[in-house]
Structure formats: structure tokens, C-alpha cells
Amino acid sequence: MLAEIISWVAVALALTASTAIMVSRDWRISLGALALQYLAAFWLVTRHLPFAMGSVKLIAGWMVVAILGMTRINLANLEQEESEAFYPRGAAFRVILMGVVAFAAAGAAPAIEAAIPGLGLPVIAGGLILIGAGMAHLGVTSDLLRVTLGLLTVISGFEILYAAVESAILVTGLLAAVNLGLSVLGAYLLTAGSVPFVSGEEEL
Amino acid sequence: MSAPIIWILLPFVSGALILLLLGEKYAAYIGGGIAAFLAMIALFVPIDTALLIGSVSIKIAPAIQVFGRSFELVTADGPLLAVLYGLAALWLFGTEASGTAHRFVSLGLMIVALLTASIAVEPFLYAALLLEIAAMLVVPLLVPLYQKPGKGVVRFIIYQTFAMPFILFSGWMLAGVEASPGNLSTTIQSGVMLSMGFAFLFGVFPLYNWIPQLMEEASPYAAGFLLWALPTFTVIFSLGFLDRYTWLRNTSQIANAIFYSGVIMTATSGIFGALQRHLGRILGYAAIAETGLLLTAIALKTPDMVSIVFLTLIPRGLELSVWALALSIIKRRAYPLRFSDIQGMARKYPIAVGAIFFAHLSIAGFPLLAGFPSRLALWQELSLQSLSASLWVFIGLLGLLISALRTLAAFVMAKEDTKWEMNESPIQTVMLGIGMAGLLVLGMFPQSLQPIISNLPALFQHLNQ
């Protein structure tokens, strides 16, 4: 019973964190919310996976946050660009968008539970909320950090659902590699363009 | 020694070492040499068969276990590995001539190793994860550190990432369908999931919009490599699905979806390609058209389907490598490769221009070039299946032919007194010359591929029935 209550708290945390990522313009808040989102995902994943394998996802997730944070902190010049060019739509629009995602997840979760018994409603709802939030986020942004956050959110939602049906260690390892790879890629793309071009002749 | 160590771990570690230890000068030769060596081993040393050399017996074991799952390359994989590493060697040797050697060679080897792992992994569904990791490794090739990333590369990574969950989940559902084949809703759900996954992976219409954008933004050679590598391994992955699940082969809706996706891709990309004024975008649309042809071939209801697919797949590597190399040579003098920038280039870079024209005509299926035999075989089967689809494929290929003629017209548009020069370096001339000769040889003597192609259907036993 207690585990069930904590699972619903984790679902609420996932919804709040993904809404914060969607709405916030401050990258520090977004990355903090991503860290909380991984905590919620960790709890939901451990409903079906052993604690040790679930903690791999949590550690990998927090490493992702660290990689993106360390990269972003060194790119102070992006602040101005972001505030001017990013997010043409208002915060209210994004909150409503997240509301739609939450309602859609709430509507779909019982149907999926009926089709695939044993997954558990909180696990399905948490997974669907994160997948929907990530998709919605990707739909309203072209900023590289935001795109990376959107992709990572989709992947963590998928991981919650997939953990319920597949418990192979290799898959857990490869999914952790995908998460870390996406964050390194995001960091690389954020940095790209800030290094001056040096031709071979100049190097000589 | 086991096969996965030779064809997966060895090239992956070599790629990493080249990145860390070697300079620009030797990277192409060493990387290309390693790939060629691996192709030779695959061709001449059978996997899981004891070979007696003097008094020494050598046997390459087929599998290794990693975290409770196996990576397995069997005897039938030998010709496939020879083809894949042979074509990879071609791309890696070409980096010297394109001037992109160091990072390309190391990452290229690692990417090919990961893609080979996607063929070897059991359960084969995990290949989706390896394809995703390989796609992520491609990005540093496409976006150098001094260049701001464009929309094309971002869309590419988004679409590839979306493909992975769909395929993994559909794989789990497919197992359920096999257990209870009468459950129609599960069958439909898994079919839709699988189709979505492959639509993202192949870049089915309209999800291919990132390809022309990417060709405009990125180095043509790196983007060309991506357009060769990922679809090639995705085709093998999709053939594995069709081979493994009987109901997928027998469901007419799925076969029709694949078939018409391929036809629409070929027709639309041919038409859009004919309207382009940027050489990179034209290459992108030509690659999309060829992927469309591959999808059409996969959906053919004939026992020769696998042979036709590989007959299309093998020359594709040569065509794209020659075209991308020639484009990267011309791009140095005609940035950003619009028709207005390349006017008169035929008199300054005659070999590179000739190579572009040859490769373009070959992809359009022009007679006596490498693409022709596969198009002929495809037409033959396609005309029996659907005449209207044949017409749309013809329109697509006609579009490619028109874009080839428009490109040529722009290249030769020089002032009358312009002198002929040859600005290609000797290594560039040799590489392009070998490539063009290869296109002609494969076109005029397609039977030269027969020893390899005849063994490849053994990989997909159920598809030949």
C-alpha cells in the first residue's frame, strides 16, 4: 500500500518536474527539474526492476544532468540569445499543453493496463506523462538544450514502461549509454560553433 | 578468437586508438587498411569452420556472451561482412582525398563496428539500441566544432531517437503476437508500432525532410557516409524482422505499406530532386530515392527478393562514395554548391564533375552503369506486381535523370575562352578514377557480384521460400 502511494507521489513528481522543464526559461531550474524527474523515474522503474538496476538509471540520469550543467555553465553568452529568440509562446500555453498531456495519459493508462495487465497504473501513467511531455517539448522548441531535455524526457518515459516488460542487463546498460550519449551529444552541439576555425595551414 | 571480437571489438578499439594516437597523415591508410583486412578475412576465412594451415588449426568461434546476451556472427554472415567492410574501406580510403581523414576514419570505424554489432546481437531487437548509438556517433562527423549545428542534424537525431522506442516496444509485442496469433488488436498495435519505428529509421515520406537540409549544412562526404551506412544496416535489420516473423511476411497490409512507402519515396524524391538548385540537396534526394527503391524491393513477392535487395545495396555504397567524394572536392572551390557557384567547373575539375555525373546516372538507373542491373531486375518484378507503381517509380527515376542533366548543364556553363585545367590532386584523381571504373565494371559485368550475392540469401532462409 505504502509503495503504491509513493508510486503515485512519483507520478506527481514526474508531472511537476516535466512541467517545470517545459515552462521554465532558466536552464538551472530545468536541469534541477530533470534531476527530480530521474528520481521519480527511478522509483517507478524499481517497481519492476531490481533496486541495483534501477539505481543504474538514476546514476546515469544524474550524470546526464551534470554533463549538461557543466557545459551550459561555461556558455554564458547564450543567455541573451535565449531570452530573445527562444519561446515565442507564453507560459500559460505551455501549462495548458502539459494539462492536455496529463489528461491524455490519465485517459490512456487504464486502457493500457487492461491490455497489458501487471504493469501497474502508476507506472503506465508516469511513463506516458514523460513521453507526452517530451514530445510536447520537442514540438515547441528548437533550442539545442531544450531539444536534448525533450529527448531525454521521452527516453525516460519509455524506460519506465520498457522496464516492466524487459529486465535484461544488456538493455539497461545500452539504455544508460543512450542517455549519456544524448547528453554528451547535446553538450557537443551546444559547444559547436564557439570554437574558432583553424585551418591546417594556420596550424603549421 | 571469436567472430564478434574480430569484426566488432577490433575495429571499435582501432577507431578509438586512431583518434587518440594517430595524426591526419596516416589515419586514412591505416583505417582503410584495417577495414580492407577485415573484409578479406570475412571473404576467405569461414566462421565456425576449422582451417588447417600447415600443422596449425584455426577456427573462428561464432559467438561471445555479454551480460547474459550473445553477439553471434555465423558462417552465412561471412559474405555480408566482406561486402560491408569492403565498402567501409572504400569510404575510409576516400577520406584522404576528401581532406576529412582523422576524425572521420576513427569515428567511421567505430560506427561500422557498432552497426555490425547490430547484426550480431541476440535477441536481434536490441539492434535498435545499437543503431541509435551509432547514429549519435555520426553527429561529430556532421558538425565540426567550429560550425553551428543546423536544423537538419537536430531533426536527424530526434527522428533516430524516436525510432528506438517504437522498435523495442514492437519487438516485445511481436513476441505476444507469435504466442497468440488470433489476437487481432495486438497484431494491429505491433504492426503500427513497427511501421512507425522503421518509418523514422528509413526516413519514409515525409520524415526524410532532414536529409536535404543536412546535405546543405554538413560536409558532403560525412553526410554521404551517413546516407550509406545507416540505411544499409537498417535494410538488413528489417530483412531480419521479415525473416523472423512469419505473419509479418504474410500480412498483405504490411507488405502494401512497405511497397507504397517505397514507391512514394522514390517518386517524390525524384520529383523534388529535379527541382533543386543545390548539389548537396540533389545528392540527398537521390539517396532517398534509392532507399525508396530498396523498400519497394523488400516488398516484392518473389523468391529473388533478397538477391534484388543486395544487388541494389552493394552498388549504392560505391555510387554514394564516388558522388560524395567528388562533391567534397568541388565544394572547396564552389561553396555552398548552388548552381550559380558551380558554373564552368567542368573545365576546372573535369574528373570530379565526370564522377558526379557517372554516379548520378548510375543511381538514376542509366544503362551500362552499376545501378542498371538492379533497376532492371526490379522493373521486371515490379511490372508483374503493379503497373501503376512501376509508372511512379519510373517518374521518380526520370526526375533523377533530369536533375543529372540540369547539374551537367550548370557545370559546363563556362565562358568560351576558359581553358581546361585539372585541379584535382593525384590521389583524388586515382580515387575518383577507380570509383568510375567500378561503376562501369559493375554495370557492364554485373555477374562479377554473383559469387557474393549468391551466398547472401542464406542469411534469410525464410524469405527465399
Side-chain angles (χ1 to χ4, degrees):
Chain A
M1 185 61 190
L2 181 65
E4 188 76 1
I5 293 168
I6 298 175
S7 296
W8 282 111
V9 171
V11 173
L13 182 62
L15 179 63
T16 314
S18 54
T19 308
I21 293 173
M22 182 86 151
V23 174
S24 166
R25 295 181 186 211
D26 189 336
W27 61 269
R28 295 168 197 86
I29 295 174
S30 298
L31 289 181
L34 184 68
L36 287 177
Q37 189 178 285
Y38 277 118
L39 191 65
F42 158 72
W43 178 261
L44 293 172
V45 160
T46 49
R47 298 294 78 219
H48 295 279
L49 284 187
F51 180 82
M53 279 169 73
S55 55
V56 168
K57 292 186 190 293
L58 181 65
I59 293 166
W62 283 354
M63 281 170 74
V64 161
V65 174
I67 290 166
L68 289 173
M70 281 193 298
T71 309
R72 188 59 188 78
I73 209 163
N74 291 317
L75 296 169
N77 56 332
L78 281 183
E79 205 85 48
Q80 186 67 25
E81 257 177 60
E82 193 175 318
S83 62
E84 284 168 4
F86 184 59
Y87 276 162
R89 300 171 182 92
F93 170 78
R94 280 168 264 139
V95 172
I96 292 168
L97 201 58
M98 281 307 298
V100 172
V101 167
F103 276 117
I112 294 177
E113 169 71 0
I116 314 169
L119 286 187
L121 265 181
V123 169
I124 299 170
L128 290 182
I129 284 171
L130 291 184
I131 291 172
M135 295 263 199
H137 202 169
L138 288 169
V140 296
T141 185
S142 58
D143 178 88
L144 285 170
L145 180 64
R146 305 273 156 189
V147 167
T148 311
L149 294 180
L151 284 175
L152 289 166
T153 306
V154 172
I155 296 281
S156 24
F158 162 72
E159 280 186 78
I160 291 171
L161 293 176
Y162 200 59
V165 298
E166 177 68 73
S167 57
I169 301 172
L170 183 63
V171 172
T172 307
L174 286 173
L175 279 170
V178 167
N179 273 303
L180 290 171
L182 273 177
S183 67
V184 171
L185 200 64
Y188 178 83
L189 291 176
L190 280 170
T191 321
S194 59
V195 176
F197 175 68
V198 182
S199 71
E201 286 152 19
E202 281 174 40
E203 277 176 339
L204 288 172
Chain B
M1 191 73 93
S2 65
I5 289 178
I6 296 173
W7 284 287
I8 299 169
L9 195 65
L10 183 70
F12 193 88
V13 172
S14 307
L17 290 177
I18 287 170
L19 187 68
L20 297 174
L21 303 178
L22 279 184
E24 185 85 23
K25 201 172 176 184
Y26 303 108
Y29 299 115
I30 291 179
I34 289 169
F37 176 65
L38 292 173
M40 288 296 161
I41 298 178
L43 199 60
F44 296 115
V45 183
I47 300 167
D48 202 20
T49 307
L51 271 185
L52 203 62
I53 302 171
S55 58
V56 183
S57 174
I58 298 173
K59 184 180 172 186
I60 299 176
I64 54 165
Q65 297 287 320
V66 179
F67 293 125
R69 294 289 187 268
S70 78
F71 285 80
E72 190 174 348
L73 292 165
V74 295
T75 317
D77 285 312
L80 181 66
L81 290 169
V83 168
L84 295 173
Y85 274 99
L87 288 171
L90 203 69
W91 279 98
L92 298 179
F93 280 126
T95 55
E96 172 68 15
S98 74
T100 54
H102 187 222
R103 190 190 289 199
F104 191 111
V105 171
S106 55
L107 288 175
L109 267 176
M110 290 159 88
I111 289 162
V112 174
L114 278 170
L115 293 173
T116 309
S118 76
I119 298 174
V121 69
E122 287 292 339
F124 80 114
L125 287 168
Y126 297 172
L129 286 157
L130 293 159
L131 287 172
E132 164 72 2
I133 297 173
M136 288 194 288
L137 270 184
V138 175
V139 173
L141 289 182
L142 301 171
V143 185
L145 259 179
Y146 56 81
Q147 185 185 316
K148 272 212 170 289
K151 281 184 182 169
V153 74
V154 176
R155 279 190 195 177
F156 160 68
I157 202 69
I158 290 174
Y159 288 175
Q160 297 300 313
T161 306
F162 276 0
M164 181 194 70
F166 278 116
I167 289 178
L168 284 178
F169 229 85
S170 72
W172 172 76
M173 293 176 99
L174 285 171
V177 172
E178 275 202 320
S180 55
N183 191 340
L184 194 66
S185 66
T186 317
T187 310
I188 293 170
Q189 284 162 7
S190 57
V192 169
M193 286 275 214
L194 190 64
S195 308
M196 289 293 288
F198 276 105
F200 279 116
L201 271 185
F202 276 117
V204 166
F205 178 83
L207 300 173
Y208 61 57
N209 56 9
W210 59 270
I211 296 176
Q213 277 184 328
L214 188 70
M215 289 307 301
E216 225 172 337
E217 298 160 7
S219 145
Y221 202 70
F225 177 74
L226 160 71
L227 294 180
W228 165 70
L230 281 186
T232 299
F233 284 87
T234 306
V235 164
I236 296 164
F237 184 37
S238 62
L239 287 176
F241 260 97
L242 291 173
D243 189 50
R244 206 84 48 118
Y245 297 106
T246 316
W247 71 270
L248 273 180
R249 288 195 303 280
N250 299 333
T251 309
S252 60
Q253 288 93 334
I254 288 181
N256 285 340
I258 300 171
F259 182 71
Y260 286 109
S261 303
V263 171
I264 292 169
M265 268 177 92
T266 310
T268 53
S269 57
I271 293 166
F272 292 149
L275 303 172
Q276 300 304 311
R277 290 171 169 272
H278 186 280
L279 291 193
R281 291 178 71 91
I282 291 174
L283 169 55
Y285 279 113
I288 295 164
E290 201 152 41
T291 308
L293 287 178
L294 282 166
L295 281 176
T296 312
I298 287 173
L300 288 176
K301 292 169 185 134
T302 165
D304 296 329
M305 180 266 272
V306 178
S307 301
I308 295 174
V309 168
F310 280 103
L311 193 62
T312 312
L313 212 53
I314 297 171
R316 177 190 161 95
L318 185 61
E319 288 157 352
L320 287 178
S321 62
V322 170
W323 194 340
L325 175 59
L327 265 192
S328 64
I329 291 167
I330 287 178
K331 192 174 184 179
R332 291 179 196 176
R333 282 283 290 270
Y335 183 83
L337 288 177
R338 292 207 185 89
F339 277 178
S340 53
D341 307 309
I342 60 157
Q343 285 180 3
M345 279 289 169
R347 297 200 182 195
K348 291 173 185 160
Y349 290 94
I351 308 285
V353 168
I356 289 175
F357 195 57
F358 262 54
H360 200 152
L361 287 181
S362 178
I363 288 187
F366 204 76
L368 299 183
L369 289 171
F372 179 64
S374 62
R375 307 297 186 272
L376 194 63
L378 187 66
W379 283 112
Q380 214 164 1
E381 296 297 335
L382 197 59
S383 59
L384 296 173
Q385 208 160 312
S386 165
L387 276 178
S388 59
S390 309
L391 177 70
W392 282 109
V393 170
F394 173 76
I395 289 171
L397 294 181
L398 187 67
L400 291 183
L401 191 64
I402 290 169
S403 65
L405 294 174
R406 288 183 73 214
T407 307
L408 185 67
F411 272 132
V412 297
M413 217 177 275
K415 289 174 188 164
E416 269 185 34
D417 53 347
T418 310
K419 285 184 180 169
W420 285 89
E421 300 165 28
M422 235 182 74
N423 289 310
E424 295 91 346
S425 69
I427 184 85
Q428 289 169 346
T429 309
V430 170
M431 289 298 297
L432 292 173
I434 291 171
M436 284 191 281
L439 291 175
L440 275 171
V441 168
L442 290 182
M444 288 196 280
F445 309 105
Q447 65 272 28
S448 56
L449 285 178
Q450 193 56 27
I452 295 171
I453 285 182
S454 60
N455 292 322
L456 287 172
L459 278 170
F460 309 102
Q461 290 168 349
H462 303 109
L463 291 178
N464 297 317
Q465 291 165 5

